[in-house]
Amino acid sequence: PKSDLYELDIGGNPISDVGLIALAGALAYSSLCILLMSLEQITDVGIQALAEALPGSNIETLNLGGVRITDFGAQALATALPGSNLKRLCLQECQITDVGAQVLVSALPDSKLEMLNLADNAITMLSAAQIDELYKSGRMMDMPANKRARNSTH
């Protein structure tokens, strides 16, 4: 049976990759539109499972702020973006570098994403400039700048 649950906030709980893999397997059977999972003990393994489940889900808002997502996880999410319903994606305070940021940015034209938050990652001026161009073009409605990139000289 399909669940009528619209929003699930499990942020700050000790959810691991095993828990996320189980949750990802249930997404296709739910009406869940908002999933908030900040500060979890999840790695790219769990993010890969979540990304694979996104195209078959109703998720429009995904907050993974503070999760240990690296460029590998960013690549998995970028691959899922075109087939997903995601409109808002928060990846603030993850472990994403220029490589992951550029992969995510390159997936944006084929996605429904309206907001991407990459603040407080390891993004340098090169990627920050590409992100700023998207913001200025009106492609992204809200994309907080990376504080470290603005203050960086590399």
Side-chain angles (χ1 to χ4, degrees):
K2 198 161 189 152
S3 165
D4 291 332
L5 186 65
Y6 179 79
E7 179 176 345
L8 179 61
D9 183 349
I10 52 176
N13 286 293
I15 305 296
S16 66
D17 289 331
V18 173
L20 181 55
I21 290 167
L23 177 62
L27 288 179
Y29 305 102
S30 78
S31 299
L32 195 64
C33 291
I34 300 173
L35 181 56
L36 310 171
M37 301 188 66
S38 60
L39 302 172
E40 304 300 344
Q41 299 173 0
I42 298 165
T43 67
D44 290 330
V45 172
I47 296 303
Q48 177 73 37
L50 177 62
E52 290 172 3
L54 285 174
S57 77
N58 294 310
I59 301 291
E60 294 179 357
T61 299
L62 180 59
N63 182 345
L64 298 168
V67 174
R68 294 176 287 173
I69 300 170
T70 67
D71 295 334
F72 179 80
Q75 170 69 55
L77 290 168
T79 299
L81 283 177
S84 78
N85 291 309
L86 270 182
K87 293 181 181 176
R88 292 167 293 284
L89 178 59
C90 177
L91 298 172
Q92 182 172 348
E93 293 183 37
C94 293
Q95 298 172 4
I96 298 170
T97 69
D98 285 338
V99 173
Q102 290 172 3
V103 167
L104 284 162
V105 167
S106 69
L108 294 178
D110 298 323
S111 76
K112 298 176 183 175
L113 213 61
E114 297 171 355
M115 190 280 293
L116 174 62
N117 183 342
L118 289 170
D120 299 319
N121 278 286
I123 300 171
T124 65
M125 290 301 287
L126 175 64
S127 291
Q130 290 177 327
I131 292 167
D132 282 344
E133 283 303 312
L134 270 176
Y135 181 75
K136 289 175 188 172
S137 73
R139 174 64 182 100
M140 300 303 290
M141 293 174 56
D142 182 20
M143 189 181 298
N146 183 305
K147 292 178 203 169
R148 279 181 254 193
R150 290 218 166 183
N151 297 324
S152 173
T153 56
H154 356 80

